[in-house]
Amino acid sequence: MRGGGLLVAGTTSDAGKSVVTAGICRWLVRQGVKVAPFKGQNMSLNSFVTREGAEIGRAQAMQAQAARVEPTALMNPVLLKPGGDRSSQVVLMGKPVGEMSARGYHGGRQQTLFEPVLACLEELRATHDAVICEGAGSPAEINLRRTDIVNMGIARAARLPVVVVGDIDRGGVFAQFFGTTALLAPEDQELIAGYLVNKFRGDVTLLEPGLDMLHGLTGRRTFGVLPYTHGLGIDEEDGLRVSLRGTVRESVVAPPLGADVLRVAVCAVPLMSNFTDVDALAAEPGVIVRFVDRPEELADADLVVVPGTRGTVKALAWLRERGLADALARRAAEGRPVLGICGGFQVLGEHIEDEVESRAGAVEALGLLPVRVRFAREKTLARPAGEALGERVEGYEIHHGVADVRGGEPFLDGCRVGAVWGTHWHGSLESDGFRRAFLREVAAAAGRAFVPAPDTSFGTLREEQLDRLGDLIEEHADTDALLRLVEEGAPKGLPFVPPGAP
């Protein structure tokens, strides 16, 4: 097999396309298939830096890990990073090429990107046995079909069979499957091979009459029913879609080693990016991670994290409006731990000069760290490595802000003053030894009898999660039928479901 492919589409955003794509990739690679993930256009604030210094969606980096291949810009040639005011930064082949409104993008720019996107897909197909592509939103967004480069546009151009994923946990999945198919043009419907039910709770036999009726109505089969599974903890694409109030990052179910747990509060700043930085904390037994947006929610926190954001100045104003800025200042004065990451590091500094991201000019920051930040037009994209707290650390950088550190103790690329730490490095807490050393510092400053587990390996936990996704596909999907789709394409003679696209 060489150059096979499949597009995983969804009835809605957050139907489970990312995790199903990852699961198929992991299942295929375990069968000895050389496989790569692909998403032509991604909209996400959760991104990653490849070894060649290209920025791509973090979901595609996770899928590459599932496929056991190194992530590259080919896997996500277009990344849109929302920045407020109905505009997004456009990242092409891993590098930012400008800001654009949604109207401007869909009004013409998107179509100019179709050929580069298709070329990336074909390059991956030429060098892999199979490419598993992920769609975006729904393929039946008829208002955007003319300029589509990620769903049926790419499927039709590359003759990819399409499996549509639906989240049954939210209800209405049969109507979603039928309506998605019936709103597509005949040429697009020819590629809709069938459906995959996601997040099912209960007895599958109760679902089977509905699946049979769906087959009778559309002429298309359902390739599997995936059960609802807790604790996967896989990187989301577009951020937390539910309200952040009280949201708890799922963690391993294990008791703390010491007498105390450690409570981590993450400030849910606007345009929050790479909130997955705290997943490594949530993986530690006895660490509880919550997202918060009120100052009183910081009162019992042993560590407060101010995460990355695509809107540093906006996040700073939000912290002040909410009273969180004053609460952070009180914590710093009392010697209670605070960690700022990337944009969060910048707001903890003294002064920000921004003519690039917000164009706000000179802005006074919180003054908790001796740092002055100037926003450069050129984005820093890097994969740094170093040492901190006596341990080896690796991370990645994605930022326009250039930090001038004027004091404090060195901490990665940033600094530390008392119990306040700041760095531009994302992903540093995934380095196991460093994470344990940092948590020991936090526990000591917080006065908690918390002991980090000596053997928690974040990398191993992530591999186990990816294997669980592969198991879901292997155990609950018709893998023989999926493999035929990858190798041979959509079945011939699939019936047209009226009315079709208007």
Side-chain angles (χ1 to χ4, degrees), residues 59-88:
Q60 278 61 65
M62 174 270 292
Q63 291 160 358
Q65 185 177 350
R68 295 180 180 146
V69 294
E70 189 67 30
T72 73
L74 291 172
M75 298 171 184
N76 179 207
V78 179
L79 173 63
L80 306 178
K81 302 193 72 175
D85 299 325
R86 301 182 182 179
S87 68
S88 294

Side-chain angles (χ1 to χ4, degrees), residues 163-475:
V163 172
V164 181
V165 177
D167 179 357
I168 196 170
D169 195 51
R170 297 186 175 189
V173 76
F174 292 115
Q176 292 169 16
F177 284 145
F178 182 86
T180 296
T181 308
L183 278 177
L184 298 177
E187 296 83 359
D188 289 343
Q189 287 195 25
E190 288 175 2
L191 298 172
I192 302 295
Y195 315 109
L196 194 63
V197 176
N198 192 29
K199 299 183 183 178
F200 180 70
R201 306 173 191 248
D203 185 347
V204 176
T205 60
L206 299 177
L207 193 66
E208 288 172 351
L211 300 179
D212 291 340
M213 284 186 276
L214 181 67
H215 182 268
L217 288 166
T218 67
R220 290 158 176 84
R221 55 167 301 187
T222 298
F223 291 99
V225 178
L226 307 183
Y228 192 103
T229 305
H230 290 280
L232 288 175
I234 296 298
D235 298 346
E236 285 100 335
E237 172 190 277
D238 299 325
L240 295 172
R241 294 188 172 277
V242 296
S243 168
L244 287 165
R245 169 162 299 288
T247 298
V248 180
R249 296 301 282 166
E250 292 182 333
S251 59
V252 294
V253 181
L257 268 67
D260 291 338
V261 297
L262 211 61
R263 294 173 174 84
V264 179
V266 184
C267 296
V269 297
L271 299 172
M272 182 167 51
S273 62
N274 289 69
F275 61 84
T276 45
D277 282 330
V278 301
D279 283 354
L281 296 177
E284 285 286 347
V287 176
I288 302 167
V289 178
R290 298 178 70 249
F291 289 88
V292 303
D293 60 6
R294 294 194 303 213
E296 55 268 28
E297 294 176 297
L298 306 189
D300 68 344
D302 302 304
L303 169 67
V304 174
V305 177
V306 187
T309 171
R310 172 86 163 89
T312 299
V313 171
K314 180 179 288 189
L316 181 59
W318 181 87
L319 289 168
R320 286 179 168 137
E321 290 164 2
R322 295 274 177 150
L324 288 160
D326 290 338
L328 290 170
R330 286 194 297 271
R331 288 187 67 89
E334 295 165 1
R336 303 178 66 199
V338 176
L339 170 65
I341 302 174
C342 200
F345 167 41
Q346 294 166 8
V347 304
L348 296 181
E350 298 172 342
H351 182 83
I352 296 171
E353 192 75 33
D354 181 12
E355 300 291 351
V356 176
E357 188 177 78
S358 68
R359 298 180 177 85
V363 178
E364 294 307 308
L366 299 185
L368 305 185
L369 291 174
V371 177
R372 298 177 72 85
V373 175
R374 176 186 56 81
F375 274 67
R377 297 199 176 278
E378 189 74 19
K379 181 183 280 192
T380 296
L381 297 169
R383 290 278 293 270
E387 185 174 300
L389 305 180
E391 299 287 347
R392 181 75 174 168
V393 194
E394 295 183 359
Y396 57 100
E397 295 183 63
I398 307 169
H399 54 92
H400 284 278
V402 179
D404 177 12
V405 179
R406 299 186 172 191
E409 300 175 43
F411 178 71
L412 302 176
D413 70 320
C415 65
R416 170 188 183 177
V417 174
V420 181
W421 294 266
T423 176
H424 275 129
W425 290 21
H426 294 290
S428 63
L429 294 167
E430 295 179 18
S431 297
D432 297 324
F434 168 72
R435 182 181 64 255
R436 288 191 279 268
F438 177 71
L439 289 176
R440 284 192 289 269
E441 294 260 350
V442 168
R448 295 289 186 187
F450 170 84
V451 179
D455 56 354
T456 302
S457 167
F458 186 76
T460 298
L461 289 172
R462 176 50 54 89
E463 278 297 306
E464 290 173 354
Q465 290 166 333
L466 293 172
D467 275 331
R468 290 173 69 192
L469 291 181
D471 293 343
L472 280 175
I473 298 299
E474 186 169 347
E475 296 169 9

